[in-house]
Amino acid sequence: MRVFVTGATGFIGSAIVKELIGAGHQVVGLARSDKSAKALAAAGAAVHRGSLEDIESLRSGATAADGVIHAAFIHDFNNYAPAAEADRRAIETLGAALAGSNRPLIVTSGTLIAQAQGPLAIEDDPANPNFPRKSEEAAMATVSRGVRASVLRLPPSVHGEGDHGFVPRLIHIAHEKGVSAYIGDGRNRWPAVHRLDAARLYRLALEKGSAGASYHGVADEGVPTREIAEVIGRHLNVPVVSKSREEAADHFGWIAHFFGIDAPASSALTQERLGWQPLQPGLIADLNAEHYFEHAADAVLLHR
């Protein structure tokens, strides 16, 4: 299958590209820079120049593909509404290019978007209509137009070597401030998955997914945030402390809202429907593998 992948050189996207090529698929990756183009070529993928804002590049890339994986998102939390709008337009463009073909379109979302109806967020839970990111709504709208669109929800922590998301940010904050903190009693939970397990799920959703389905890329259903803080504190040799919700915004900055959420999620239906099984280390085991802390001091400077 010829697969067009957006976000193909990102932390998750690069793993998806490797997974697809390893399974015998031909990959065409969207590249907005020479650096990204070189990385794709080195990985064995074809290069398609463009960006999420370049509608024509998205249209032509999808039109020539047998299937599309949309893994790109502009992660600018200071300008989240414009990023969400760019994502919505990109999905609409990709869907229009695939209309009437029953070709697969896998759209990335998050388990935090799910409006849980029970103790765990599950695949059949609807998306929260008040959430500003409309990835799922845009994806589902393409189904009636003859696109085999499905949604893959990722947890807030997709971990592994090279991670530059939420957990590394927590490490940077702990290094800067000399304490590793959690909020309240730290019993609120984060689901998590290793990037290689997530990449395999994208491939399975592409190959076997159903139109209109939602899948959860969740290995750890819910890791207590206090446990995350304790591992960070131990590796950095700093105290582990609680911060009240009033103190959290000042201590954590923009990540405080996310770190304070209790949002456990299940992937039981995904495992049943696609035959997916997480095989890689869980979040705590991965944190204990040292690679998260090898460049902690240098990484602080990148986030200033």
Side-chain angles (χ1 to χ4, degrees), residues 1-8 12-13 16-17 19-20 25 27-30 52 58 62 65-72 94 98 104-108 150 152 198-207:
M1 187 184 295
R2 179 183 172 92
V3 187
F4 179 48
V5 180
T6 72
I12 300 168
I16 294 171
V17 168
E19 172 72 26
L20 291 172
H25 295 290
V27 176
V28 180
L30 183 68
L52 285 187
L58 295 177
D66 300 312
V68 175
I69 292 177
H70 177 50
L94 296 169
L98 300 175
L105 168 63
I106 314 303
V107 169
T108 304
S150 58
L152 201 160
R200 193 169 71 260
L201 180 54
Y202 274 96
R203 176 177 62 79
L204 292 173
L206 179 82
E207 296 171 347

Side-chain angles (χ1 to χ4, degrees), residues 58-125:
L58 295 177
R59 183 181 295 114
S60 60
T63 298
D66 300 312
V68 175
I69 292 177
H70 177 50
F73 189 78
I74 302 169
H75 291 282
D76 183 353
F77 290 98
N78 292 318
N79 296 283
Y80 195 78
E85 175 59 19
D87 184 54
R88 185 193 62 78
R89 287 197 308 268
I91 295 167
E92 288 183 349
T93 300
L94 296 169
L98 300 175
S101 67
N102 198 39
R103 284 176 284 174
L105 168 63
I106 314 303
V107 169
T108 304
S109 182
T111 59
L112 294 181
I113 292 175
Q115 197 164 35
Q117 309 297 300
L120 296 171
I122 67 169
E123 294 86 340
D124 293 344
D125 287 332

Side-chain angles (χ1 to χ4, degrees), residues 8-287:
T9 58
F11 175 62
I12 300 168
S14 58
I16 294 171
V17 168
K18 184 177 180 179
E19 172 72 26
L20 291 172
I21 291 174
H25 295 290
Q26 179 186 359
V27 176
V28 180
L30 183 68
R32 63 180 180 179
S33 68
D34 291 342
K35 180 180 178 181
S36 294
K38 289 178 182 178
L40 282 169
V47 176
H48 184 84
R49 294 302 294 259
S51 68
L52 285 187
E53 295 90 349
D54 184 347
I55 296 301
E56 183 51 43
S57 72
L58 295 177
R59 183 181 295 114
S60 60
T63 298
D66 300 312
V68 175
I69 292 177
H70 177 50
F73 189 78
I74 302 169
H75 291 282
D76 183 353
F77 290 98
N78 292 318
N79 296 283
Y80 195 78
E85 175 59 19
D87 184 54
R88 185 193 62 78
R89 287 197 308 268
I91 295 167
E92 288 183 349
T93 300
L94 296 169
L98 300 175
S101 67
N102 198 39
R103 284 176 284 174
L105 168 63
I106 314 303
V107 169
T108 304
S109 182
T111 59
L112 294 181
I113 292 175
Q115 197 164 35
Q117 309 297 300
L120 296 171
I122 67 169
E123 294 86 340
D124 293 344
D125 287 332
N128 185 336
N130 297 318
F131 201 86
R133 185 173 174 179
K134 303 299 181 183
S135 310
E136 299 195 12
E137 180 182 307
M140 293 303 105
T142 70
V143 174
S144 62
R145 301 177 65 185
V147 180
R148 184 157 54 91
S150 58
V151 167
L152 201 160
R153 291 172 174 165
L154 295 173
S157 178
V158 180
H159 57 91
E161 195 156 1
D163 182 5
H164 50 266
F166 286 145
V167 170
R169 182 61 186 152
L170 293 172
I171 294 170
H172 304 156
I173 292 168
H175 191 280
E176 284 182 311
K177 302 203 171 184
V179 296
S180 180
Y182 54 89
I183 300 172
D185 61 10
R187 294 175 64 183
N188 61 298
R189 295 155 294 175
W190 268 16
V193 70
H194 195 283
R195 67 190 285 259
L196 299 183
D197 284 326
R200 193 169 71 260
L201 180 54
Y202 274 96
R203 176 177 62 79
L204 292 173
L206 179 82
E207 296 171 347
K208 301 164 59 176
S210 300
S214 293
Y215 301 108
H216 279 191
V218 173
D220 292 314
E221 289 187 346
V223 180
T225 56
R226 180 169 181 163
E227 290 186 18
I228 297 171
E230 287 172 344
V231 174
I232 293 172
R234 184 168 64 253
H235 281 268
L236 295 182
N237 195 28
V238 298
V240 178
V241 302
S242 170
K243 294 290 182 180
S244 70
R245 293 201 173 271
E246 293 72 24
E247 296 171 319
D250 180 63
H251 183 83
F252 291 106
W254 62 266
I255 201 176
H257 171 71
F258 298 98
F259 199 45
I261 291 174
D262 183 46
S266 167
S267 63
L269 294 176
T270 296
Q271 294 187 44
E272 176 186 333
R273 293 167 179 171
L274 293 182
W276 176 69
Q277 292 268 332
L279 302 174
Q280 300 298 320
L283 176 58
I284 296 300
D286 204 14
L287 277 173

